Amino acid sequence: MGLHVHNLGNLPNTDDGRDYFIYVLDYGWKEPLTDALVANFTNMARMASQTRSVVVAGIEPIHFANDVFSWHGINGEDGERILPAILITTLTPSYFKKHNDEYRRSGEIKDKLLLIPIKAACKTTDDVIQLIKSIFNDIKEKKKLSGFAVAKTINKNGLRRLADAVILEPNLSGVGFDLRKLFQTVS
């Protein structure tokens, strides 16, 4: 199932038995890598329908102010450095609807976040398409995310950090990153 989000009122209130929620994050500016993500949303939604995942992306720029993510920062990380990105988490869209424009205390969120900054992983729009295919194929096959390593681990007890998070970067050794291990301790 894929969701195009026009406003937060259209978000479902349940996780519907999904393992992952995959959010396409951008800052609303036109650029080739972001355009490639948006143009491939239907393909991402189709691939998510073959897994226990949901893809959420905005169809037009909207202001979203949440302590976890907004156009200027993602869980305390600078938006200019991180965005555009793919965020994988177990946080449901209803969480963000419920807590929009709400202040949260550092370390309050039990769920974890996995961020893949597109600018770090892709140089061309073709790279974006290959990245999307690779991520969803690995999720479908229940394999490690191939070609990635941890660039940064974020402890939720730090300044402006609401959730534990991992930021990935390309890794030519092909070791990969295990999503299941990251999210297995979430209750």
Side-chain angles (χ1 to χ4, degrees), residues 143-163:
K143 298 182 344 188
K144 292 181 179 181
L145 293 181
S146 56
F148 285 101
V150 175
K152 184 174 185 178
T153 301
I154 299 169
N155 184 314
K156 68 182 174 183
N157 294 324
L159 179 64
R160 298 181 356 207
R161 312 287 193 202
L162 284 106

Side-chain angles (χ1 to χ4, degrees), residues 11 69 131 141 167:
L11 293 174
F69 60 74
L131 175 69
E141 300 294 323
I167 299 174

Side-chain angles (χ1 to χ4, degrees), residues 17 32 90 97-98 106 116 129-130 144 153 186:
T90 54
K97 176 181 176 184
K98 180 178 177 183
S106 181
I116 303 172
I129 295 167
Q130 290 306 315
K144 292 181 179 181
T153 301
V186 174

